[in-house]
Amino acid sequence: EVQLVESGGGLVQPGASLKLSCVASGFTFSDYWMSWVRQTPGKTMEWIGDIKYDGSYTNYAPSLTNRFTISRDNAKSTLYLQMSNVRSEDTATYYCGRYYGYNYWYFDFWGPGTMVTVSS
Amino acid sequence: ETTVTQSPASLSMAVGEKVSISCKTSTDIDDDMNWYQQKSGEAPKLLISEGNTLRPGVPSRFSSSGYGTDFVFTINNVVLGDEGIYYCQQSENVPLTFGSGTKLEIK
């Protein structure tokens, strides 16, 4: 059974950094491109970016390129999202998602999400 | 960036009625539109993928149509368990973009 489980969320002060993790199981993690998506408290869904199966290539939403970094450790079947200089508008639930396959850029599995609240 | 305009924002339907949700894109995306259901407190679930393809295990009451810039998602004979928020997502262009969501309430 495919499972994705995010962790690392919580309350963080503006300007701080935070690293989220997503542990995958039930499939060969190193075969899949992976992605992060966030959902604001108002329920808006925003694609953050993605990473190639071997970690050699990343894509980001233009508005987030300079502050967010996606990485992965295939030996640990874990996806990461490094967030820096966080702002109040980064308050959201963060989901990791698995793409169905290369060139099929939709999500066939999602984790339950981890909530990040940016507030002083 | 491809903008996805989803409507309506909310719907209140009776059991057995038909639901229709529209998504319009600002660029031609062929048939690269996907539809998700999100129930309260849960992650989104993929219902329909590119080419109006119903995912395995999803009831045939769910369907979609469309090509280019205009897409419609339909639920026939809606049931109580269909309550939630429905999103469309285009997968033709990066950045991937979502519609704003349609909240479905069953009366």
Side-chain angles (χ1 to χ4, degrees):
Chain A
E1 179 194 5
V2 172
Q3 284 198 323
L4 300 169
V5 180
E6 303 92 340
S7 62
L11 177 63
V12 60
Q13 292 195 334
S17 296
L18 191 66
K19 190 170 187 176
L20 307 182
S21 301
C22 168
V23 177
S25 60
F27 66 102
T28 303
F29 181 70
S30 57
D31 284 348
Y32 286 84
W33 286 64
M34 298 291 294
S35 178
W36 287 96
V37 175
R38 66 184 182 182
Q39 184 175 37
T40 68
K43 301 302 184 184
T44 298
M45 299 288 286
E46 181 181 18
W47 177 79
I48 295 170
D50 57 28
I51 186 166
K52 190 176 178 180
Y53 53 83
D54 61 358
S56 64
Y57 183 77
T58 51
N59 266 319
Y60 297 96
S63 61
L64 300 173
T65 298
N66 294 331
R67 298 190 300 117
F68 287 15
T69 303
I70 298 173
S71 61
R72 65 193 295 162
D73 184 338
N74 284 345
K76 296 181 178 179
S77 295
T78 303
L79 178 72
Y80 301 102
L81 177 65
Q82 177 72 53
M83 306 166 60
S84 62
N85 190 24
V86 297
R87 307 165 180 168
S88 57
E89 54 264 39
D90 296 323
T91 294
T93 297
Y94 286 73
Y95 295 99
C96 64
R98 189 186 84 165
Y99 288 122
Y100 176 69
Y102 179 73
N103 223 26
Y104 295 96
W105 308 122
Y106 53 86
F107 308 99
D108 62 348
F109 287 96
W110 301 65
T114 187
M115 191 174 299
V116 173
T117 302
V118 181
S119 175
S120 54
Chain B
E1 176 172 321
T2 297
T3 302
V4 182
T5 302
Q6 184 172 348
S7 62
S10 63
L11 285 168
S12 183
M13 311 296 289
V15 170
E17 289 191 311
K18 177 180 177 179
V19 169
S20 292
I21 297 170
S22 167
C23 279
K24 297 182 186 294
T25 57
S26 60
T27 64
D28 188 325
I29 63 165
D30 296 338
D31 58 359
D32 292 341
M33 183 62 83
N34 310 283
W35 297 90
Y36 300 87
Q37 174 194 62
Q38 186 180 36
K39 296 186 177 180
S40 181
E42 299 182 3
K45 173 188 175 183
L46 179 65
L47 299 180
I48 294 175
S49 56
E50 294 171 353
N52 302 303
T53 302
L54 193 69
R55 303 303 299 176
V58 176
S60 58
R61 302 183 293 104
F62 297 92
S63 65
S64 69
S65 62
Y67 194 94
T69 61
D70 290 346
F71 301 86
V72 177
F73 172 81
T74 301
I75 310 175
N76 286 302
N77 301 315
V78 70
V79 303
L80 276 174
D82 294 337
E83 271 203 345
I85 303 176
Y86 292 82
Y87 294 94
C88 54
Q89 175 242 326
Q90 66 81 19
S91 49
E92 170 69 10
N93 299 311
V94 173
L96 306 181
T97 45
F98 291 82
S100 53
T102 296
K103 185 173 183 178
L104 174 61
E105 175 197 57
I106 309 299
K107 291 182 284 193

